[in-house]
């Protein structure tokens, strides 16, 4: 495949799950994570109110497995994710406890990564590996 000669990627224009269960997705993203969406007549939920992604990465499954399970293979008894999405939050511990209280099963909880990020991760109903994070390197320095 040839590279595009005159096209250059400027920023991530959008990212989101391909939703299979609209009720479960609305419950997580709109109700639990309190993201305000506009709803179109066809049930399409969208927002332009969130700031853009700080990172876009092609994360190898072996590395995601290492982060979540401490080994490079994804367990056979856990659905394999097809995408990842991370939300930086004020308190990973509080966000984790709140999501668990609503029935979400964490794959890892409040894990401190070698690069300083604290993260909890779970799979949403559409197979996205969702992270609740505190990432000091991405915070504005005051």
């Amino acid at each position: 495949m040839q590279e595009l000669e005159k096209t250059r990627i400027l920023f991530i224009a959008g990212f989101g799950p391909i939703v299979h269960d609209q009720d479960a997705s609305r419950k997580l993203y709109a109700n639990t994570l309190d993201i305000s969406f506009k709803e179109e007549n066809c049930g399409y939920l969208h927002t332009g109110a969130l700031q853009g992604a700080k990172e876009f990465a092609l994360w190898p499954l072996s590395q995601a497995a290492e982060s979540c399970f401490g080994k490079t293979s994804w367990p056979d008894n856990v659905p394999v994710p097809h995408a990842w999405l991370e939300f930086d939050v004020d308190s990973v511990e509080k966000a984790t406890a709140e999501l668990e209280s609503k029935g979400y099963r964490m794959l890892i909880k409040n894990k401190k990564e070698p690069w300083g990020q604290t993260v909890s991760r779970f799979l949403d109903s559409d197979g996205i590996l969702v992270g609740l994070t505190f990432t000091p390197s991405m915070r504005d320095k005051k």
Side-chain angles (χ1 to χ4, degrees):
M1 177 179 239
Q2 281 189 311
E3 291 183 28
L4 299 173
E5 292 181 27
K6 296 184 182 193
T7 301
R8 173 174 83 90
I9 302 299
L10 300 177
F11 55 87
I12 296 172
F15 177 81
I18 303 299
V19 175
H20 299 273
D21 183 335
Q22 289 182 314
D23 292 335
S25 291
R26 180 186 299 260
K27 178 182 170 190
L28 171 61
Y29 294 102
N31 300 345
T32 302
L33 295 176
D34 200 29
I35 297 172
S36 296
F37 290 101
K38 295 176 186 172
E39 184 170 359
E40 302 298 332
N41 292 338
C42 59
Y44 178 75
L45 300 175
H46 61 99
T47 182
L50 294 176
Q51 291 188 21
K54 296 279 187 177
E55 293 286 327
F56 175 76
L58 306 178
W59 196 15
L61 182 61
S62 61
Q63 292 176 9
E66 177 73 30
S67 177
C68 292
F69 305 106
K71 56 185 182 177
T72 59
S73 60
W74 196 265
D76 292 336
N77 63 338
V78 178
V80 176
H82 60 269
W84 67 278
L85 176 62
E86 290 185 351
F87 295 105
D88 229 54
V89 297
D90 288 334
S91 169
V92 174
E93 294 81 8
K94 287 180 184 176
T96 300
E98 183 178 351
L99 278 149
E100 284 185 312
S101 76
K102 296 180 184 295
Y104 293 94
R105 180 181 158 253
M106 295 293 150
L107 300 176
I108 58 168
K109 293 196 284 189
N110 310 319
K111 178 183 178 188
K112 181 105 179 215
E113 296 284 14
W115 52 90
Q117 179 186 58
T118 302
V119 62
S120 291
R121 289 195 178 95
F122 65 100
L123 286 170
D124 79 358
S125 60
D126 295 301
I128 294 178
L129 184 60
V130 179
L132 305 170
T133 66
F134 181 86
T135 313
S137 65
M138 291 183 178
R139 300 291 174 119
D140 289 335
K141 310 286 190 266
K142 298 204 185 222

